[in-house]
Amino acid sequence: CKHNFGGIYHKRRKFLNYWLRIFRQSPLFASCDDLQIESCLKALDHSIKSYKKNETIFMEGAKIEQIGLVLKGTVRIESVDYEGAVHLYTVVEPSFCFGETYAFLGKTLKVSAIANTDCFVFLFSIKNLPPCILENLLRIALLKNEILSERIEHASKKTIRKKSPLIFIRPKKRRLVHDSFQSRTDG
């Protein structure tokens, strides 16, 4: 009986090389070199799934134990109110994560994750996460919290005059948040 272990290795290497650029750019793997990324991928219970435009990835009302990382395409985070109005919260671009808060808290989703375009998503379990992934997820959550605080501050302003300075600060701040996650290879 012949085994094709070389073929398995070749497929794994081809997979890694294909998606490595996205993993390098991801805040999830910030400060990780290629060997560390490969080691993390081996440790994670994960899958890569493709979704067609408007296909549901995570459904509002469900509980999840996985986090999604967009590899290709975009994912929108939205909710539908009791009158049927759709509220768009954000569009998640390649190399960024979604679902981490609900996965860790074990709470029912108050939003849905929908394929905004045809996309590929790296889904991974929150169980047995490597320390570097946990540290980066904490950093991601804190930065999202900071952005949410800025939105609340902006929304609480009573006049346009008070809101206008924040309009000019926000794009710079968003760029700094994005730049703080750039990998060592982008610099």
Side-chain angles (χ1 to χ4, degrees):
C1 178
K2 290 188 177 182
H3 297 285
N4 188 7
F5 293 117
I8 293 170
Y9 174 80
H10 179 70
K11 285 179 182 177
R12 181 162 181 76
R13 178 60 47 198
K14 189 175 178 181
F15 157 80
L16 184 62
N17 289 339
Y18 186 79
W19 296 116
L20 192 57
R21 180 182 56 80
I22 298 295
F23 291 131
R24 281 186 200 127
Q25 294 171 348
S26 176
L28 187 65
F29 295 102
S31 73
C32 293
D33 62 30
D34 290 356
L35 289 175
Q36 290 171 314
I37 292 172
E38 189 169 359
S39 175
C40 286
L41 293 174
K42 286 179 184 175
L44 292 173
D45 177 15
H46 70 275
S47 63
I48 293 179
K49 294 191 177 178
S50 63
Y51 295 91
K52 295 288 185 197
K53 182 177 181 174
N54 294 322
E55 191 174 348
T56 301
I57 301 166
F58 295 147
M59 173 75 78
E60 185 174 351
K63 286 190 177 184
I64 59 172
E65 293 183 352
Q66 291 183 313
I67 298 171
L69 181 134
V70 180
L71 295 173
K72 186 176 184 180
T74 58
V75 172
R76 69 181 183 270
I77 308 300
E78 66 184 26
S79 67
V80 179
D81 66 21
Y82 64 93
E83 294 176 342
V86 177
H87 302 277
L88 176 67
Y89 292 98
T90 191
V91 175
V92 184
E93 301 283 333
S95 81
F96 289 94
C97 293
F98 60 94
E100 63 276 6
T101 300
Y102 291 102
F104 274 105
L105 294 177
K107 301 239 177 183
T108 302
L109 286 169
K110 295 186 187 328
V111 296
S112 292
I114 310 289
N116 196 46
T117 62
D118 289 353
C119 62
F120 285 93
V121 177
F122 179 79
L123 296 167
F124 60 97
S125 172
I126 59 169
K127 297 176 182 167
N128 303 317
L129 292 173
C132 65
I133 299 277
L134 283 171
E135 183 179 323
N136 288 333
L137 281 169
L138 177 60
R139 187 175 293 116
I140 291 166
L142 292 172
L143 286 170
K144 285 182 177 182
N145 186 38
E146 181 181 20
I147 290 169
L148 181 59
S149 294
E150 288 174 0
R151 285 183 182 176
I152 291 169
E153 179 184 355
H154 181 72
S156 70
K157 302 296 182 191
K158 302 291 184 209
T159 66
I160 292 175
R161 177 174 284 155
K162 289 181 180 177
K163 289 181 180 186
S164 61
L166 290 175
I167 292 169
F168 298 109
I169 293 170
R170 189 144 174 38
K172 184 176 180 183
K173 182 69 172 178
R174 181 179 289 258
R175 198 181 117 255
L176 289 173
V177 169
H178 178 72
D179 289 349
S180 71
F181 284 122
Q182 292 300 309
S183 76
R184 81 226 184 299
T185 59
D186 291 342

